[in-house]
Amino acid sequence: MPNQINYSHTLATDPLRTFRFYAEFSETSDGVFNDKIKTGASGGWTGGFTSISGLSINTQNIQYREGGYNTTVHQIPGMTTFPPVTFSRGVLAGNDQAMVWMRGLFAVQAGGGAIATPGKSFRTDVTIYVNDHGNSAGAKTETPKMAIKLHNAWITTLNYTDLDATNGAILFETMTLVHEGLSVFYTNADGTPTAPVTSAMV
């Protein structure tokens, strides 16, 4: 088992920083919905965010008592749930991906629009990359070292900060996503997983 204690305290062994990250929203399997919000020819889009919160996994515990074994209560794992994840960023003119996503979801619920056609999907996978810190020469690097993947995510809430002419605050956009699984993995130099990520949760 490798040593989990950092005795060397070199730049290479420093923990990853929480402020070097970005999120990549994959193209859906049918390519229809995300084609409407993509920023590149390959589909999907990449966004920088001020904060991302709610990255956790919770497994329910079920208490079970058994006659003849009355000293302790058995703890049995139950259903696993994934709390909603919140993305916040400053509003930039022209960045309307979140609003287009919300409008597409509304079209599905209302029964109209191209995305409401059977077989089309408003769900997508979201991969959050945590980048490496600077090297020994002080140069900045953008090499992903770790990634967190949200499976089958879709937008459930979109809100904006209150408008107030009495202060100079930044206008923020916050969207909340629900999803069906969370995978955490480390990456190679090119950002690909060091091991295959094939299931909804690894």
Side-chain angles (χ1 to χ4, degrees):
M1 184 175 180
N3 188 359
Q4 299 297 315
I5 302 176
N6 180 10
Y7 290 113
S8 57
H9 296 288
T10 64
L11 189 62
T13 59
D14 283 346
L16 296 174
R17 275 63 162 171
T18 62
F19 56 85
R20 300 182 64 84
F21 64 92
Y22 64 94
E24 184 177 88
F25 296 74
S26 302
E27 186 175 13
T28 53
S29 57
D30 52 54
V32 173
F33 176 66
N34 272 13
D35 184 64
K36 298 177 181 296
I37 61 173
K38 68 182 181 181
T39 57
S42 60
W45 56 285
T46 300
F49 294 88
T50 303
S51 65
I52 301 176
S53 60
L55 300 171
S56 64
I57 304 171
N58 300 321
T59 299
Q60 174 193 19
N61 70 298
I62 301 173
Q63 295 187 350
Y64 171 67
R65 298 184 63 177
E66 181 178 359
Y69 191 80
N70 302 320
T71 56
T72 61
V73 176
H74 299 295
Q75 300 287 343
I76 302 173
M79 296 289 292
T80 298
T81 59
F82 305 92
V85 178
T86 301
F87 295 72
S88 296
R89 65 177 178 177
V91 175
L92 298 177
N95 280 10
D96 62 346
Q97 297 96 343
M99 180 55 70
V100 172
W101 198 356
M102 180 60 76
R103 285 201 302 265
L105 177 64
F106 179 79
V108 172
Q109 296 301 99
I115 192 175
T117 306
K120 307 306 179 184
S121 177
F122 51 83
R123 296 175 175 86
T124 188
D125 292 340
V126 182
T127 306
I128 303 164
Y129 292 99
V130 181
N131 291 337
D132 195 5
H133 44 70
N135 58 28
S136 58
K140 294 181 179 179
T141 61
E142 296 298 332
T143 304
K145 302 297 288 185
M146 176 182 174
I148 303 170
K149 187 170 186 178
L150 310 179
H151 300 263
N152 294 329
W154 55 275
I155 187 170
T156 180
T157 304
L158 176 64
N159 60 63
Y160 297 89
T161 51
D162 296 336
L163 302 179
D164 185 355
T166 64
N167 65 48
I170 294 175
L171 179 62
F172 273 87
E173 171 186 78
T174 301
M175 64 177 179
T176 301
L177 309 183
V178 293
H179 60 100
E180 299 174 358
L182 186 149
S183 299
V184 179
F185 54 93
Y186 295 100
T187 62
N188 298 309
D190 59 356
T192 58
T194 55
V197 181
T198 57
S199 62
M201 176 180 165
V202 179

